[in-house]
Amino acid sequence: MKHQPLLSLWSVLVVVVGLVASALVVTGAAGAASAAPDATTISPGKFATPGGHGNFRWRYSSSAKNLCGIYPAGRSYVVRCAAKIPAADGSGASKKFTAIEIGSRGVKRTTSDGDAYPGAKRLYPHQAISVVGITCTAAEGASVTCETNKGAFSIVGGVAHAGKSTAIAPGGGPGCTGSSCDER
């Protein structure tokens, strides 16, 4: 009987280690970002796209146009959010780019998948979603922050900003050079 408390403590330790290991497998936590300390992480299953084979979509505000998604891209995943993208020269909003994403090459401006996705549920302020090392946390006022081991971005009031000293790479894909990458 004297060994029972030690045995119970050992059982608890085994369960805790098992839970941590399970979380690492589910989130692909190698270099995973974590949610803000005051955020509640919501099960990514709530945001899974039916028949989407690893696609997750959500709204970061009440507007159906403020969409984000996590998508398979080759052997990794991409997080992309629709937002107003500042023009490269600071003259206002870009006319070419309508979204910001983090992929295998870091943060870049890109185009959104469309104006709306009717099945997208809302990620409310102080809620986070975490999938395969990508974490996005919603905030008040059409705002969200997403981060991976490749970079981070924030959308504040619907306007995108690179985060954590990460510059937004020119869009246009591989082979894009010069001013054609920065069209507005």
Side-chain angles (χ1 to χ4, degrees):
M1 289 291 167
K2 288 184 179 182
H3 297 290
Q4 188 174 13
L6 183 58
L7 184 58
S8 295
L9 180 59
W10 177 254
S11 298
V12 170
L13 182 61
V14 167
V15 169
V16 170
V17 168
L19 289 173
V20 169
S22 296
L24 291 175
V25 169
V26 170
T27 62
S34 60
D38 66 337
T40 301
T41 301
I42 306 300
S43 170
K46 177 180 177 179
F47 305 104
T49 305
H53 308 290
N55 293 315
F56 303 87
R57 291 187 182 184
W58 66 92
R59 294 179 293 116
Y60 61 89
S61 78
S62 58
S63 171
K65 291 185 177 186
N66 290 340
L67 274 180
C68 288
I70 297 174
Y71 312 94
R75 293 183 172 180
S76 63
Y77 276 74
V78 168
V79 59
R80 181 180 307 127
C81 293
K84 293 176 185 151
I85 307 298
D89 64 4
S91 64
S94 171
K95 293 177 183 161
K96 179 179 179 181
F97 302 107
T98 58
I100 188 168
E101 76 175 29
I102 309 170
S104 61
R105 296 183 181 187
V107 180
K108 73 174 191 172
R109 299 173 293 164
T110 187
T111 57
S112 67
D113 294 341
D115 287 340
Y117 174 71
K121 293 182 172 77
R122 173 113 187 246
L123 185 67
Y124 288 94
H126 310 290
Q127 290 183 336
I129 179 174
S130 188
V131 178
V132 294
I134 299 169
T135 299
C136 294
T137 305
E140 302 288 338
S143 301
V144 65
T145 298
C146 294
E147 51 188 316
T148 75
N149 63 349
K150 296 291 185 178
F153 65 76
S154 293
I155 298 171
V156 179
V159 179
H161 306 275
K164 297 195 175 195
S165 303
T166 305
I168 299 175
C176 180
T177 58
S179 63
S180 66
C181 297
D182 295 324
E183 291 177 28
R184 287 183 280 143

